[in-house]
Amino acid sequence: MENTPLAPPHAPAPAAARGRVLVVDDDPTVAEVVVGYLHRAGYAVERAGDGPAALERFAAARPDLVVLDLMLPAMDGFEVCRRMRAHGPVPVIMLTARGDEEDRILGLETGADDYVTKPFSPRELVLRVESVLRRAGAGAPAAEGARPLSGAGLRLDPVARSAFRDGVGLALTLREFDLLAFLLRYPGRAFGREELMREVWGWDFGDLSTVTVHIRRLRGKVEQDPARPRLIRTVWGVGYRLDLPGDGTDAEATESAEGAESAEVAEGAEATAAGAVADTAEATDRTEGAGRA
C-alpha cells in the first residue's frame, strides 16, 4: 500500500476545498484509506462507522457527496441511502463486496449514482467522486445545454434541474435527469450503452449494467406502461432510443427488441460485471492492495 497520510475522523477542510464528502464504512482500515486519498485530493472529509452516526452527520452538515458502504452494522447502506434521500437529493457512491451483483443492481435501483466494488483502487474511487460531483454541480450549463427540453408531455429545465410529465413533477435522481435530458436532446437517435456511459456518466470504463438499470428506472417514471415502453425504446443490437410522437421511427421493429431485451441484459450484465471486477482487481494490485476489505 502506498504511504498515505491518514486523515482524522473529522478531517479539517483544506483551503479552497473541492467539496464536502461523508465516508461511511465500519472497517477502520478501508475508511482511513478512503479518507486519506480524498483529503489529499482536496476534499473536506468526515467519517461515520455506522448508519445512525452517518444520518446524524448528514443532518448536522449536509455533505456534497456520500461514499456509503452497503454492509453496515444495525442499519444497512440501502436504508441509510433511503433516509438520506428523504431529506433531499444528495449524490451517493456505494461500496459493495466483490461479486455481489444483486447488491450492486439494488444499490442503483435505490438511487445510488455510482458504485465501486471491493477490493478497489482508491485512485479510481477519487475519479468516481470527481465525476459524480462534476455532474451534480452542473447547475450553470453551457447555452446549448441550458435550454428547456420538451416532447411527448415531458418538460425538463436543465438550469432549475426540474422535470415534469404532463404537468406532474418527476422525482429523478441526478443520473436519471442527465440521462433523460441527453435522450431528449437527440430524439429518434439510437445510442449504445458504451456511448451513453461516456456521454452521460463521463466514463470511458465501468459496468454497462449501470446504464441498463437507469434505463429501467427511468421508464418506470416516464412511461405510461413501463412493461411496454413507447418513449424509451430498446434497439436490438444497438442500445436505446427516445421516440417522440410523429417522428417516423419504426415502432414495429422496436417492439420486437423489447421482448428480447431481458436476455441481452442478463448476458451483458454478467460479462461487464466480470470485466469490471477484473479491472478493479488489476488496479488494486497496482496500488499494492490499498482499500482491501
Side-chain angles (χ1 to χ4, degrees):
M1 181 186 299
E2 288 188 16
N3 293 323
T4 306
L6 300 181
H10 297 275
R18 303 173 64 184
R20 301 185 314 278
V21 179
L22 173 61
V23 175
V24 186
D25 199 308
D26 64 322
D27 187 320
T29 301
V30 173
E32 287 175 355
V33 170
V34 171
V35 168
Y37 269 80
L38 288 171
H39 189 66
R40 287 174 57 189
Y43 295 98
V45 189
E46 287 200 9
R47 274 175 52 186
D50 57 37
L55 294 174
E56 181 180 344
R57 300 273 171 80
F58 180 80
R62 294 291 178 87
D64 298 305
L65 181 142
V66 180
V67 176
L68 177 61
D69 186 31
L70 281 183
M71 301 299 294
L72 294 172
M75 183 187 303
D76 65 28
F78 297 124
E79 183 62 24
V80 174
C81 183
R82 290 188 189 99
R83 295 193 185 190
M84 287 181 176
R85 286 284 171 79
H87 294 283
V90 59
V92 174
I93 296 179
M94 285 189 171
L95 303 179
T96 69
R98 179 175 180 173
D100 290 346
E101 175 71 14
E102 291 185 4
D103 280 351
R104 295 200 297 271
I105 298 300
L106 183 56
L108 291 170
E109 293 184 332
T110 303
D113 299 282
D114 192 9
Y115 64 81
V116 175
T117 56
K118 294 180 179 181
F120 58 87
S121 161
R123 290 192 181 94
E124 179 187 352
L125 178 59
V126 171
L127 291 175
R128 296 292 183 94
V129 168
E130 292 174 349
S131 173
V132 171
L133 282 176
R134 185 168 57 249
R135 290 284 175 177
E144 180 183 356
R147 62 182 178 82
L149 302 164
S150 61
L154 297 169
R155 181 171 178 80
L156 273 66
D157 185 337
V159 175
R161 303 289 292 185
S162 61
F164 298 87
R165 173 71 194 269
D166 297 328
V168 178
L170 296 173
L172 302 180
T173 66
L174 169 71
R175 297 295 187 184
E176 290 167 358
F177 186 97
D178 289 341
L179 179 58
L180 182 57
F182 182 79
L183 293 173
L184 271 173
R185 288 191 183 101
Y186 304 99
R189 176 176 168 183
F191 293 95
R193 290 190 295 171
E194 296 90 343
E195 191 172 6
L196 288 172
M197 178 165 282
R198 183 173 61 252
E199 297 294 335
V200 176
W201 276 257
W203 306 342
D204 289 320
F205 59 92
D207 187 345
L208 296 181
S209 64
T210 300
V211 178
T212 305
V213 171
H214 280 79
I215 288 287
R216 184 167 68 237
R217 285 177 52 84
L218 195 54
R219 283 171 169 164
K221 296 180 179 182
V222 305
E223 299 279 0
Q224 292 184 351
D225 181 2
R228 297 180 59 82
R230 291 293 180 266
L231 294 175
I232 303 175
R233 301 278 198 163
T234 299
V235 182
W236 178 251
V238 179
Y240 304 100
R241 182 186 71 219
L242 186 138
D243 289 351
L244 298 180
D247 65 2
T249 51
D250 187 351
E252 182 178 351
T254 322
E255 285 175 4
S256 63
E258 304 297 345
E261 180 184 19
S262 57
E264 179 191 26
V265 167
E267 181 180 356
E270 180 179 355
T272 54
V277 169
D279 291 346
T280 302
E282 182 181 355
T284 307
D285 290 342
R286 289 200 299 269
T287 57
E288 300 180 357
R292 288 185 179 274

